[in-house]
């Protein structure tokens, strides 16, 4: 018969093993949880860097597209339709292609789908495609979709392979297409299409990841675009493993059911996030954006700790001093985990320090908790100077206490609503007191109770000034500096929509051809400039004055009446007559004929100008240098 102690030996052994297992679990759990948290933070950081890289790439391409769509050269080409203006528009496209180098093709396609301007880039060289080589693209999906867009909308295509004459181009050339319509006086004239090298996008995404990780991209149907090795592009080329959704439908259903997560596939760990490019009125497809850690399953850390725990349990059962060994082991694991944490935090800071974008992290009250060196360079403040201080009260308030933002600023709006906000023209004050125009994206993080925000921004002052100059050039007559025809008519329409009856004067310099014939075209230009300066001394700031033809000008007065209009017209006529143009000590006499009219009821722009034109015709027929009035 066994002694009672021996009868309980198996139970005692099980109890000791259970206590050892519990002790080992309690010892290993903090290190495991800490490493899980560290890996998750690193994974979220990598996925955020991928998203930032994708967003930045698309936003830069959208900016280039809008520069072309709204370029003065393209507008002149569509208005004038001459060989000179066609060449000017084509060379604008050529300049953008040569300057940026991200575009395989830049094209202007008319409403029929016919290419009218096309710039190709090959071997680092940009060139214009001959007219005989231009193609009709009316059956391409991005052309059909682009021609249905409203003003200000843009389309980003799927990432696919480039086709030439209906065939897949070899070697394979991944391509994105960004499309925006061109409107002229509310009429669609066609579309501008950027063929963007897909390889450039994928290279930018790969640069956002550490060397041990590879960027992966699939379309919304599960077709491999990048990171699938020999499966890339097989859904277009007809390979046997075209779609992950067909090869592994259960895995694909799991991926589709969540916006982000991790899965193990073919022995590799994939961290993924569903992504759609964001932008003002941008229609974009949905992609699965992921990064792959080759040769490592997503649960590798769990397996590592599980195997390690089993080994410790066996070891502790055989060693006479298990508690001492466990304590030493725990101390070693804790110290190692702490060193890894500090090293990882240093690596994360090093990565963010090297990012080209300025980054600032604020808490729920808008107080600065961290900023990278690029933010210090742009604003002039150091991290130590801003840490713990309210960012809004520093960068959105001028030294004299004036607010730079009307209403709620994007940062405080994001903290309040939890919604991401982006603006191309936010105003920041630097430490030196300069007012900077920045391109700003504010992204929230955390829950509603502990919400913070990450500000990503860059100095956009030069782009803003360049846009202002382009708008000025597009609305100004190059010779005289007054409004050009297009701008004059557009602002006249706006004036008629917002004020009372307007009065117009159609002015024509008398016998201007004789000035050119007698004194030369340079003298004629001087007469036009002198004439505009004379008129400029007589009109008010709110009046419109523009050149609408060779020697024909239009003066528009807000809330005008017939008596006041005729009095001003006579003063203008007299002032022109009394102010000859002086050139090389020669006085060139200048007179003007004027036709005047005041808007009647809901009279349209064209009708009002036509009445003034009839009055002008009457003034010229009755001897010139006079004012004639059109009552109706």
């Amino acid at each position: 018969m066994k002694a009672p102690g021996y009868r309980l030996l198996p139970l005692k052994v099980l109890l000791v093993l259970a206590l050892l297992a519990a002790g080992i679990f309690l010892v290993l759990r903090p290190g495991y949880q800490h490493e899980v948290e560290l890996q998750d933070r690193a994974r979220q950081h990598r996925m955020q860097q991928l998203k930032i890289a994708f967003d930045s790439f698309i936003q830069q391409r959208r900016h280039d597209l809008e520069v072309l769509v709204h370029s003065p050269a393209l507008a002149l080409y569509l208005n004038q339709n001459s060989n000179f203006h066609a060449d000017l528009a084509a060379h604008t496209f050529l300049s953008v292609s040569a300057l940026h180098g991200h575009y395989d093709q830049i094209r202007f396609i008319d409403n029929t789908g016919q290419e009218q301007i096309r710039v190709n880039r090959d071997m680092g060289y940009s060139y214009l495609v001959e007219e005989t080589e231009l193609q009709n693209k009316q059956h391409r999906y991005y052309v059909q979709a682009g021609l249905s867009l409203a003003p200000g909308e843009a389309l980003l295509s799927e990432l696919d392979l480039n086709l030439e004459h209906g065939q897949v181009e070899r070697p394979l050339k991944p391509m994105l297409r960004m499309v925006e319509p061109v409107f002229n006086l509310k009429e669609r004239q066609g579309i501008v299409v950027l063929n963007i090298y897909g390889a450039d996008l994928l290279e930018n995404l790969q640069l956002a990841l550490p060397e041990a990780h590879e960027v992966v991209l699939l379309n919304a149907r599960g077709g491999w675009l990048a990171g699938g090795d020999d499966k890339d592009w097989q859904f277009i080329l007809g390979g046997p493993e075209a779609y992950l959704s067909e090869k592994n439908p259960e895995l694909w259903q799991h991926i589709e059911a969540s916006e982000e997560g991790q899965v193990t596939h073919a022995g590799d760990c994939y961290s993924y996030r569903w992504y759609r490019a964001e932008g003002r009125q941008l229609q974009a497809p949905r992609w699965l954006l992921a990064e792959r850690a080759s040769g490592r399953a997503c649960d590798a850390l769990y397996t590592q700790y599980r195997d390690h725990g089993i080994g410790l349990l066996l070891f502790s059962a055989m060693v006479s001093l298990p508690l001492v060994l466990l304590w030493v082991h725990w101390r070693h694991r804790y110290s190692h985990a702490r060193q890894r944490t500090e090293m990882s935090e240093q690596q994360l800071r090093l990565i963010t320090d090297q990012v080209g974008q300025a980054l600032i992290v604020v808490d729920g009250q808008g107080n600065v908790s961290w900023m990278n060196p690029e933010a210090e360079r742009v604003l002039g403040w150091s991290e130590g100077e801003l840490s713990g201080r309210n960012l809004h009260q520093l960068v959105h308030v001028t030294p004299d206490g004036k607010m730079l933002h009307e209403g709620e600023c994007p940062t405080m709006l994001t903290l309040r609503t939890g919604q991401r906000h982006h603006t191309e023209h936010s105003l920041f004050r630097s430490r030196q007191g300069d007012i900077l125009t920045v391109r700003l994206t504010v992204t929230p993080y955390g829950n509603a109770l502990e919400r913070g925000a990450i500000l990503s921004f860059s100095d956009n002052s030069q782009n803003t000034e360049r846009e202002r100059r382009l708008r000025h050039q597009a609305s100004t007559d190059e010779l005289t500096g007054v409004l050009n025809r297009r701008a004059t008519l557009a602002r006249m329409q706006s004036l008629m929509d917002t004020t009372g009856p307007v009065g117009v004067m159609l002015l024509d310099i008398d016998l201007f051809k004789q000035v050119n014939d007698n004194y030369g075209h340079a003298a004629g230009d001087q007469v036009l400039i002198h004439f505009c300066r004379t008129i400029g001394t007589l009109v008010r700031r709110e009046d419109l004055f523009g050149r609408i033809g060779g020697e024909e000008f239009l003066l528009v007065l807000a809330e005008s009446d017939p008596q006041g209009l005729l009095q001003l017209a006579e003063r203008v006529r007299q002032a022109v007559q009394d102010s000859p143009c002086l050139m090389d000590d020669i006085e060139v006499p200048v007179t003007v004929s004027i036709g005047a009219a005041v808007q009647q009821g809901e009279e349209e722009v064209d009708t009002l100008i036509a009445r003034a034109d009839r009055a002008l015709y009457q003034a010229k027929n009755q001897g010139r240098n006079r004012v004639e009035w059109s009552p109706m």
Side-chain angles (χ1 to χ4, degrees):
M1 178 180 294
K2 293 183 179 181
Y6 286 103
R7 289 196 302 267
L8 297 177
L9 181 61
L11 181 60
K12 293 179 179 179
V13 170
L14 289 177
L15 180 60
V16 170
L17 290 175
L19 290 173
L20 287 173
I24 293 172
F25 173 79
L26 293 175
V27 168
L28 296 182
R29 183 183 179 185
Y32 172 73
Q33 289 180 331
H34 184 75
E35 289 202 46
V36 168
E37 180 182 356
L38 186 63
Q39 285 190 358
D40 188 60
R41 288 171 56 190
R43 176 182 64 83
Q44 291 181 3
H45 175 76
R46 293 193 301 271
M47 295 306 298
Q48 184 63 24
Q49 290 301 109
L50 282 177
K51 183 178 184 302
I52 290 173
F54 212 133
D55 285 342
S56 177
F57 187 87
I58 296 304
Q59 289 167 10
Q60 291 171 11
R61 306 292 79 78
R62 179 70 186 281
H63 174 74
D64 291 346
L65 179 61
E66 291 185 339
V67 167
L68 290 173
V69 168
H70 301 292
S71 70
L74 183 58
L76 287 172
Y77 163 63
L78 297 176
N79 284 331
Q80 305 296 334
N81 197 24
S82 66
N83 290 337
F84 171 77
H85 292 100
D87 288 343
L88 186 62
H91 280 83
T92 299
F93 281 41
L94 185 64
S95 298
V96 172
S97 175
L99 179 63
H100 296 286
H102 290 291
Y103 308 118
D104 178 61
Q105 299 172 15
I106 300 179
R107 295 172 286 169
F108 172 70
I109 299 176
D110 65 21
N111 290 331
T112 69
Q114 178 63 38
E115 295 175 339
Q116 296 296 336
I117 300 174
R118 174 169 171 172
V119 174
N120 283 3
R121 187 172 178 85
D122 189 21
M123 302 294 291
Y125 174 73
S126 300
Y127 63 94
L128 289 171
V129 175
E130 296 293 335
E131 183 176 356
T132 57
E133 297 297 319
L134 298 178
Q135 305 175 36
N136 190 289
K137 298 289 186 177
Q138 61 176 326
H139 299 300
R140 297 292 282 144
Y141 71 95
Y142 60 86
V143 173
Q144 297 174 357
L147 289 173
S148 66
L149 295 174
E153 291 183 337
L155 169 74
L156 182 65
S157 75
E158 291 280 357
L159 178 62
D160 57 17
L161 297 178
N162 196 49
L163 300 179
E164 285 296 335
H165 302 287
Q167 300 296 321
V168 174
E169 189 175 357
R170 300 283 183 165
L172 300 182
K173 188 182 289 185
M175 200 67 61
L176 275 171
R177 297 168 186 87
M178 188 174 287
V179 184
E180 184 168 347
V182 179
F183 284 80
N184 185 19
L185 296 179
K186 299 184 179 179
E187 291 293 328
R188 181 184 291 106
Q189 303 296 315
I191 56 176
V192 174
V193 182
L194 299 181
N195 280 31
I196 307 167
Y197 288 121
D200 286 1
L201 170 62
L202 298 176
E203 181 180 358
N204 275 22
L205 295 178
Q206 186 62 56
L207 290 174
L209 294 177
E211 291 184 0
H213 297 261
E214 180 183 2
V215 67
V216 177
L217 192 65
L218 291 87
N219 62 28
R221 300 182 302 280
W224 291 92
L225 303 175
D229 300 324
D230 58 346
K231 296 183 286 296
D232 289 350
W233 303 110
Q234 292 302 313
F235 69 95
I236 291 181
L237 302 176
E241 297 180 336
Y243 293 92
L244 176 63
S245 54
E246 296 177 359
K247 186 69 176 177
N248 197 330
E250 292 184 1
L251 176 64
W252 185 252
Q253 289 177 4
H254 171 76
I255 292 173
E256 283 189 313
S258 56
E259 281 299 312
E260 61 180 275
Q262 282 186 307
V263 293
T264 299
H265 175 63
D268 298 334
C269 182
Y270 291 79
S271 300
Y272 67 88
R273 171 186 288 179
W274 284 102
Y275 171 82
R276 189 189 302 274
E278 298 178 357
R280 180 176 58 82
Q281 295 182 281
L282 177 65
Q283 300 178 17
R286 191 171 181 241
W287 287 291
L288 186 69
L289 183 60
E291 53 106 25
R292 177 176 68 185
S294 299
R296 179 181 176 88
C298 295
D299 62 351
L301 183 64
Y302 168 78
T303 302
Q304 173 187 343
Y305 268 83
R306 181 199 62 192
D307 295 343
H308 185 60
I310 293 174
L312 280 178
L313 181 61
L314 295 175
F315 178 77
S316 300
M318 294 184 297
V319 177
S320 59
L321 300 174
L323 293 179
V324 174
L325 294 176
L326 283 174
W327 181 81
V328 172
H329 177 75
W330 178 83
R331 291 293 301 173
H332 171 73
R333 294 293 298 175
Y334 179 80
S335 176
H336 182 63
R338 184 171 183 177
Q339 290 176 0
R340 290 184 61 183
T341 299
E342 294 175 352
M343 183 179 298
S344 297
E345 290 177 350
Q346 291 175 358
Q347 291 174 345
L348 289 175
R349 174 172 280 273
L350 179 61
I351 291 172
T352 54
D353 286 352
Q354 300 304 316
V355 171
Q357 288 285 101
L359 300 175
I360 296 180
V361 178
V362 298
D363 61 19
Q365 287 71 47
N367 298 323
V368 176
S369 56
W370 176 85
M371 62 192 296
N372 71 347
E374 179 63 11
E376 293 180 328
R377 185 192 68 79
V378 172
L379 295 180
W381 275 294
S382 68
E383 182 180 4
E385 290 175 312
L386 291 188
S387 181
R389 301 179 66 182
N390 187 277
L391 182 68
H392 174 68
Q393 296 175 0
L394 286 172
V395 303
H396 288 159
V397 181
T398 63
D400 58 1
K402 180 182 178 182
M403 297 297 298
L404 292 177
H405 274 275
E406 293 184 2
E408 199 168 13
C409 78
T411 303
M412 303 309 293
L413 185 60
T414 294
L415 290 173
R416 181 173 60 81
T417 64
Q419 299 295 315
R420 180 177 180 270
H421 286 83
H422 174 79
T423 176
E424 292 287 324
H425 303 288
S426 186
L427 298 178
F428 276 18
R429 176 175 68 90
S430 71
R431 192 177 190 275
Q432 294 75 25
D434 299 326
I435 306 303
L436 307 176
T437 301
V438 300
R439 181 184 292 113
L440 172 67
T441 300
V442 186
T443 304
Y445 69 87
N447 54 40
L449 297 178
E450 299 179 356
R451 180 177 296 144
I454 302 173
L455 284 72
S456 173
F457 60 94
S458 59
D459 191 349
N460 199 28
S461 301
Q462 292 183 349
N463 289 338
T464 301
E465 176 60 21
R466 183 170 63 252
E467 291 171 4
R468 186 198 65 76
R469 290 197 304 269
L470 288 174
R471 287 195 298 270
H472 177 74
Q473 293 170 2
S475 63
T476 303
D477 179 61
E478 184 177 359
L479 174 64
T480 62
V482 300
L483 295 176
N484 59 25
R485 178 185 180 88
R486 181 178 180 183
T488 302
L489 296 180
R491 296 188 187 184
M492 178 179 174
Q493 181 64 64
S494 176
L495 196 63
M496 293 173 68
D497 292 341
T498 56
T499 67
V502 302
V504 298
M505 282 186 257
L506 205 57
L507 304 93
D508 189 278
I509 299 176
D510 295 330
L511 303 175
F512 182 74
K513 184 176 182 301
Q514 294 183 8
V515 175
N516 286 330
D517 293 342
N518 295 334
Y519 301 99
H521 288 280
D525 289 348
Q526 289 300 314
V527 168
L528 291 173
I529 295 171
H530 173 76
F531 175 79
C532 290
R533 289 174 179 171
T534 301
I535 302 302
T537 64
L538 301 174
V539 298
R540 303 168 300 181
R541 180 184 296 273
E542 62 268 24
D543 297 333
L544 301 177
F545 179 57
R547 183 183 180 189
I548 62 173
E551 66 271 20
E552 192 172 52
F553 297 82
L554 182 65
L555 179 57
V556 185
L557 286 76
E559 298 182 351
S560 181
D561 61 87
Q563 181 179 359
L565 182 66
L566 288 175
Q567 289 176 352
L568 178 59
E570 182 57 32
R571 289 202 303 273
V572 168
R573 185 202 64 78
Q574 189 66 46
V576 172
Q577 176 181 292
D578 294 342
S579 302
C581 182
L582 184 63
M583 292 180 294
D584 297 330
D585 297 328
I586 299 175
E587 287 190 352
V588 179
V590 181
T591 62
V592 63
S593 297
I594 303 175
V598 172
Q599 181 185 9
Q600 302 293 329
E602 300 296 326
E603 190 173 17
E604 299 293 334
V605 169
D606 293 342
T607 306
L608 180 57
I609 292 178
R611 287 203 295 115
D613 189 53
R614 289 195 296 271
L616 174 62
Y617 180 78
Q618 184 178 1
K620 295 174 71 173
N621 277 349
Q622 294 184 11
R624 298 185 176 88
N625 191 21
R626 61 186 292 118
V627 177
E628 288 296 333
W629 162 254
S630 173
M632 274 299 292

